[in-house]
Amino acid sequence: MKVKVIPVLEDNYMYLVIEELTREAVAVDVAVPKRLLEIVGREGVSLTAVLTTHHHWDHARGNPELARLRPGLAVLGADERIFSLTRRLAHGEELRVSARPREGGVGAPGPPALTGPPAPPPQFGAIHVRCLLTPGHTSGHMSYFLWEDDCPDPPALFSGDALLVAGCGSCLEGSAQQMYQSLAELGTLPPETVFCGHEHTLSNLEFAQKVEPCNVHVRAKLSWAKKRDEDDVPTVPSTLGEERLYNPFLRVAEEPVRKFTGKAVPADVLEALCKERARFEQAGEPRQPQARALLALQWGLLSAAPNK
């Protein structure tokens, strides 16, 4: 299972997940469809479906154009507000993706399809998808856990804005309790690869250092992230195993984090962290709207109102 990391817009990531034997692929969070299709063509793969984590423009805006360019493409997510949604997914649903059977597999060739309960999944294709509803950032946020049978590559979590490297997305449409439960569920997954929706790692780690100034894992990761930033290299992917060491939003039960917030109940700790993170961001350097506007103009995105 090969994952192509595709930086777009100011700090977003799209992903193309490729099953290397069948040369089939699934896209995650399509914001710039033409850029995605360039890579699909370059890789020589068949795009079977789009998985959208949530409805915000910088994760879903590319769906209508992609659906127009690829008629019949499955566009999947958990929120009816997602552009061009063809089927709404449910928490815990498991899918298998394929456009044709493997050699010796069961099932007849057919058009690209992504199916799940209540109909039984087809017995071909290698990429499995487990759908995990993770409300908090938005009420219909879905994270996707992907793995491949008999594959040495580790499974991958596509967490959108529910979980970022050393942080998480703002709690916009849910409660702190919901966000805590979402992060707690993600934290129970195998300590493998995490692909998130944004490049916010440096500022997240600077905040994490404020929360836990004596955490050596935060210090080491921050040094690493600064070097990546200087070299203009992405900091994704991460791993859940690492995140548990330095991400304060996954460490709400740890004494230093509880002491920083002055709270004891995990959901209250998380709520306090979110408020402190917002103050930290407001006190930092202002964003440069010119850079974002230039990128938006380049990709024809000025007609869409940002909602991150």
Side-chain angles (χ1 to χ4, degrees), residues 137-210:
H137 181 64
T138 68
S139 58
H141 193 291
M142 186 73 84
S143 299
Y144 301 98
F145 185 68
L146 276 67
W147 74 97
E148 188 175 7
D149 290 332
D150 303 320
C151 177
D153 297 324
L157 172 67
F158 294 86
S159 58
D161 287 2
L163 177 67
L164 305 175
V165 180
C168 66
S170 302
C171 190
L172 300 178
E173 295 181 0
S175 65
Q177 180 64 35
Q178 284 179 312
M179 179 170 278
Y180 166 70
Q181 290 173 340
S182 295
L183 291 173
E185 177 161 12
L186 294 181
T188 65
L189 294 172
E192 304 289 358
T193 312
V194 179
F195 295 94
C196 64
H198 289 278
E199 181 60 56
H200 292 171
T201 303
L202 195 56
S203 62
N204 285 343
L205 285 164
E206 288 170 347
F207 175 69
Q209 188 171 56
K210 180 180 179 181

Side-chain angles (χ1 to χ4, degrees), residues 54-59 137 161 172-173 292 304-308:
H54 61 293
H55 74 280
H56 286 169
W57 75 281
D58 54 329
H59 296 261
H137 181 64
D161 287 2
L172 300 178
E173 295 181 0
R292 180 170 191 149
N307 185 8
K308 295 177 70 171

Side-chain angles (χ1 to χ4, degrees), residues 234-302:
T235 61
V236 298
S238 179
T239 72
L240 277 170
E242 291 180 356
E243 292 299 313
R244 295 180 190 122
L245 298 175
Y246 53 66
N247 188 329
F249 298 91
L250 291 180
R251 294 174 54 80
V252 293
E254 300 296 326
E255 181 58 32
V257 181
R258 293 167 63 184
K259 184 177 179 180
F260 174 80
T261 63
K263 305 291 182 180
V265 177
D268 294 342
V269 175
L270 183 65
E271 184 175 24
L273 280 176
C274 289
K275 290 178 180 178
E276 288 298 325
R277 179 68 177 87
R279 294 190 190 101
F280 180 83
E281 187 172 354
Q282 290 169 1
E285 293 184 6
R287 289 180 177 269
Q288 299 298 320
Q290 299 90 343
R292 180 170 191 149
L294 286 172
L295 282 166
L297 180 63
Q298 178 181 358
W299 294 110
L301 298 176
L302 288 180

